[in-house]
Amino acid sequence: PAYKAMWTDEPVYVHLHSCLRDQEPTWVMYLELSETKRVYMKGVTPISAHWLPRLAPNMCDRTNFLPDPPPRYDADKDEIVCVTSP
């Protein structure tokens, strides 16, 4: 399957020599892009979407809050927890 990268409008693909080429993780990070007939990702690793706000906050839009589940207060962390759409 093709992925959408932040730095290009072209679809990007897992490189043919990658051990992930036969898998389809929803979210991935990559080390570099290589362009031949297609744009391929090299050094690909699957990630969880929940990691993005903490690891790459400048790449996340935190303004599109979803009403369900509703926001809640986490007393242990002393913060409000809510769900946003990507």
Side-chain angles (χ1 to χ4, degrees), residues 5-77:
M6 294 187 66
W7 314 117
T8 180
D9 290 330
E10 294 183 53
V12 296
Y13 299 86
V14 174
H15 194 273
L16 299 173
H17 295 146
S18 172
C19 63
L20 293 177
R21 71 184 177 277
D22 295 326
Q23 299 178 24
E24 296 183 13
T26 304
W27 293 88
V28 297
M29 290 183 69
Y30 60 89
L31 187 59
E32 67 178 293
L33 294 176
S34 173
E35 187 170 359
T36 56
K37 291 182 181 180
R38 290 181 163 183
V39 180
Y40 289 101
M41 298 178 287
K42 292 183 175 181
V44 181
T45 187
I47 63 167
S48 169
H50 300 295
W51 300 350
L52 294 173
R54 293 196 189 268
L55 298 177
N58 58 326
M59 297 180 175
C60 298
D61 178 4
R62 298 180 184 200
T63 60
N64 199 6
F65 303 111
L66 299 177
D68 189 33
R72 64 179 173 78
Y73 177 70
D74 186 331
D76 294 335
K77 295 181 180 178

Side-chain angles (χ1 to χ4, degrees), residues 69-74 77 79-83:
R72 64 179 173 78
Y73 177 70
D74 186 331
K77 295 181 180 178
E79 63 186 15
I80 296 174
V81 179
C82 63
V83 178

